[in-house]
Every structure is written in C-alpha cells, then in structure tokens.
C-alpha cells in the first residue's frame, strides 16, 4: 500500500473508532479534580452535582481535592492526564484565567491545555465593608476614599483572584486608592474584615451571607446585573451608577486537550441534565450560587469574553502576581 493510501486508511480508521469509543463512554469511574480543599464553594458545588452526573452517565463520579498554588497544581495534573474523559478539572476564575495570565511562564493556558465542557455554577460577588466604617453606600465609600487618600485597606482572598481583579477594576473606574492585603483564602480575609483590621472586601455571598445576616459585615452592592434573592435589600453596582464594575465567580468543567468532541458533548449533556433538576438548583441557591450549564461552544465563548475583559484590567492596572 502506498504512503498516501496508508494515511487515508489510517485517518478513516480513527474517524470510525472515535464515535464508537464515545458511544461506549464512560466505561470506568470519572474523576473530577477540585483545586481547593474540601468544604469550599467550588468543592460543595461539585459535590451537589456528583450523584446526578454519575446517574446520567452510568458511572460513579469521584471528587478528588488537589489544593495548592492557587489551583494550578490540580490544573496542570489534569492537563497532563489522558484525553479520554476520565479525568476532568473543575476550574474557576483564578485557576483557569487569572492565575495563568499574571505569570510570565504559566504551567498552562486554558485554550491550549483544555477542552471546555460546560459551566457548572456562578456565585454572587459582593462589595463589603466592616460595620465600623462610616459608609452605607457605594457612593459614600468612594467619597470617603477620595477625602482620605491611602487610608483605606482592602482585603482579597488572594492575589490573582476575582476579588483582587474586582478591586482593581473599581479603582480604575473611580480613581480611588487603598492598600491591598492579599490573604490565603476567603476565611481569614473575612475574619479580619469583621474584626475591623481591614476596611473593605470583595467576597462571595456564599462565604459572607451568615455574617451579613448577623450584622458583622455590611454589604454595599451586588457586583452583578441583578439583586441576589438571599439579600434582596442590597442594590446592584449598576444601581450605584457603576455598570462597568461587574464580575462573577464561576466554576466549570474542563477535559484535557484532545479529548474527542463526542466525549466532551456527552459529558456536557450529562452536566446540563443534572443542573436542570430542581433539587440541584435549590441547593446551589442556598449557597448563593446559580446553576450555569452550557454547551461547549457557549462555554468557550464565555471564557474568551472573560479572558479579554480581565486581560484589559490586568494591563491597565499593571497586575503582576508572579509569586502566587
């Protein structure tokens, strides 16, 4: 057989085998690798979906926690895994977009290392202050910051987090300044915010809701297009006159680059089926999150849009977090 005919024959064989393999998929348990410790927002959201996705696919879903390096350890592990759909990454803002884009030599770029499968959930972001700060609206916060330049301190869960980027975005749009304090996680940042050791914080509703209800924290705005049902009296940042200062915390599922499209589609369909169930929607809602299933194409467009938005913020604010 000539070389050309051999290549055509091999190509035809691959095309024929791939759909068959996808049709049989999955033939073994599937591992969802979560880049954070058990008990956090991403971990809990994943476990809410665990049984439903496994039931649809006919195989158990194993949740494996691999924390460290802002999620990059887990991401790199999955990126190097076999592209057969059996090992998947539960990525979020920091581990998929913000961490890699702030590094000169990241272990991966999402568009080169992964096949986007589907969004999972989005969490409501909040602009919070310690109750001792004499401000009750976003406008009052901006006025206070301008009258007291450099006096305010701001807590973020870490450098290269969505909380950090949201803080930089607000600074760019308003011209205010503050001293940023990057913590290692939301919990210590919230503790210091409640104690008054820092003045302002960008946090997720999932982590701060109980403290808002008890009065230990004060919410100035929801950083999205609509009010959150869990805190209906808190206005949106749009209502505060800053429509360009919006940002969501998302998590979604990613397969290693090269995973067959039919396998990716099958996984995406199973996720969207699980996310459509009322009990799943209700449980995510109790966390302050919304179900956010999407097709691979829809999820890819979302990621491209988010990459463009936050790259612009990073460049204008000169964000560099190479040590994270």
């Amino acid at each position: 057989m000539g070389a050309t005919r051999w290549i055509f024959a091999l190509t035809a064989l691959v095309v024929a085998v791939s759909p068959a393999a996808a049709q049989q998929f999955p033939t073994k348990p599937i591992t969802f690798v979560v880049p954070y410790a058990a008990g956090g927002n991403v971990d809990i959201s994943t476990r809410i979906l665990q049984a439903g996705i496994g039931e649809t696919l006919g195989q158990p879903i194993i949740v494996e926690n691999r924390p460290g390096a802002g999620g990059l350890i887990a991401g790199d592990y999955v990126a190097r895994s076999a592209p057969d759909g059996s090992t998947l990454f539960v990525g979020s803002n920091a581990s998929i977009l913000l961490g890699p884009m702030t590094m000169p030599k990241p272990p991966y770029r999402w568009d080169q290392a992964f096949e986007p499968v589907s969004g999972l959930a989005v969490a409501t972001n909040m602009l919070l202050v310690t109750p001792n700060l004499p401000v009750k609206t976003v406008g009052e916060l901006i006025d206070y910051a301008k009258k007291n330049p450099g006096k305010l301190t701001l807590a973020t869960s870490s450098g290269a987090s969505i909380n950090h980027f949201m803080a930089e975005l607000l600074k760019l749009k308003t011209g205010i300044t503050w001293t940023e304090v990057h913590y290692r996680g939301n919990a210590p940042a919230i503790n210091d915010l409640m104690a008054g050791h820092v003045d302002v914080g960008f946090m997720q509703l999932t982590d701060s809701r109980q403290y808002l209800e008890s009065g230990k924290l004060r919410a100035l705005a929801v950083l999205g297009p609509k009010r959150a049902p869990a805190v209906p009296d808190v206005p949106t940042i749009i209502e505060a006159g800053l429509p360009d200062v919006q940002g969501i915390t998302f998590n979604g599922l990613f397969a290693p680059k090269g995973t067959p499209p039919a396998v990716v589609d099958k996984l995406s369909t199973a996720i969207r089926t699980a996310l459509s169930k009322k009990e799943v929607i209700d449980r995510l809602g109790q966390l302050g999150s919304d179900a956010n299933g999407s097709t691979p194409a829809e999820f890819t467009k979302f990621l491209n849009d988010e990459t463009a938005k936050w790259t612009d913020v990073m460049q204008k604010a000169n964000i560099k977090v190479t040590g994270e």
Side-chain angles (χ1 to χ4, degrees):
M1 181 182 292
T4 302
R5 292 177 62 190
W6 183 86
I7 292 172
F8 278 125
L10 180 60
T11 301
L13 178 62
V14 171
V15 170
V17 169
S18 182
Q23 190 172 16
Q24 296 171 4
F25 173 85
T27 59
K28 59 183 178 180
I30 299 171
T31 299
F32 284 10
V33 181
V34 174
Y36 307 110
N41 172 51
V42 176
D43 177 73
I44 294 173
S45 298
T46 303
R47 293 180 189 277
I48 288 173
L49 294 166
Q50 186 176 10
I53 296 173
E55 181 180 321
T56 300
L57 292 172
Q59 287 286 348
I61 303 297
I62 300 168
V63 176
E64 179 180 332
N65 299 89
R66 281 181 174 254
L72 299 182
I73 290 175
D76 190 45
Y77 169 77
V78 175
R80 296 172 183 272
S81 297
D84 59 6
S86 64
T87 305
L88 306 169
F89 182 43
V90 184
S92 58
N93 304 69
S95 57
I96 281 293
L97 298 179
L98 308 181
M101 75 168 55
T102 57
M103 302 173 68
K105 295 182 179 180
Y108 55 81
R109 302 280 187 188
W110 72 264
D111 54 340
Q112 299 171 7
F114 299 108
E115 305 287 355
V117 177
S118 172
L120 295 178
V122 294
T124 301
N125 291 334
M126 309 289 294
L127 172 55
L128 309 174
V129 296
T130 182
N132 296 328
L133 196 69
V135 301
K136 293 185 178 180
T137 67
V138 175
E140 290 178 0
L141 175 66
I142 294 170
D143 288 342
Y144 183 90
K146 289 183 175 180
K147 291 176 181 177
N148 300 275
K151 181 178 179 180
L152 289 176
T153 52
L154 175 127
T156 75
S157 57
S158 68
S161 65
I162 186 62
N163 302 332
H164 177 197
F165 272 65
M166 285 298 307
E168 296 292 348
L169 180 58
L170 182 59
K171 285 168 60 179
L172 287 172
K173 297 299 182 181
T174 62
I176 63 176
T177 61
W178 45 43
T179 300
E180 294 174 358
V181 183
H182 300 308
Y183 290 79
R184 292 192 176 275
N186 281 337
I190 288 175
N191 286 339
D192 272 8
L193 189 59
M194 288 191 294
H197 300 316
V198 286
D199 303 306
V200 186
F202 287 82
M203 301 291 166
Q204 285 66 47
L205 179 58
T206 50
D207 299 303
S208 58
R209 180 178 176 180
Q210 61 179 312
Y211 306 116
L212 294 172
E213 292 173 346
S214 66
K216 294 180 179 179
L217 290 174
R218 179 183 299 144
L220 301 187
V222 171
L223 302 172
K226 61 182 181 180
R227 294 195 180 199
V231 284
D233 294 332
V234 180
T236 67
I237 197 72
I238 298 173
E239 293 175 78
L242 293 167
D244 294 332
V245 185
Q246 296 187 63
I248 61 171
T249 295
F250 75 87
N251 55 65
L253 203 64
F254 298 81
K257 197 73 172 179
T259 301
V263 170
V264 172
D265 287 340
K266 194 167 187 177
L267 286 165
S268 181
T269 299
I271 291 166
R272 284 179 278 132
T273 298
L275 285 169
S276 68
K277 296 179 179 179
K278 184 179 184 303
E279 61 269 27
V280 170
I281 294 172
D282 290 345
R283 289 185 66 189
L284 288 173
Q286 291 169 4
L287 290 175
S289 297
D290 294 320
N292 189 45
S294 51
T295 66
E298 291 168 342
F299 194 30
T300 299
K301 181 182 184 304
F302 167 80
L303 292 166
N304 282 324
D305 291 345
E306 288 289 288
T307 299
K309 173 180 178 176
W310 296 115
T311 297
D312 182 61
V313 171
M314 178 188 71
Q315 293 172 346
K316 289 179 178 176
N318 194 29
I319 299 174
K320 296 178 182 178
V321 197
T322 56
E324 288 295 318

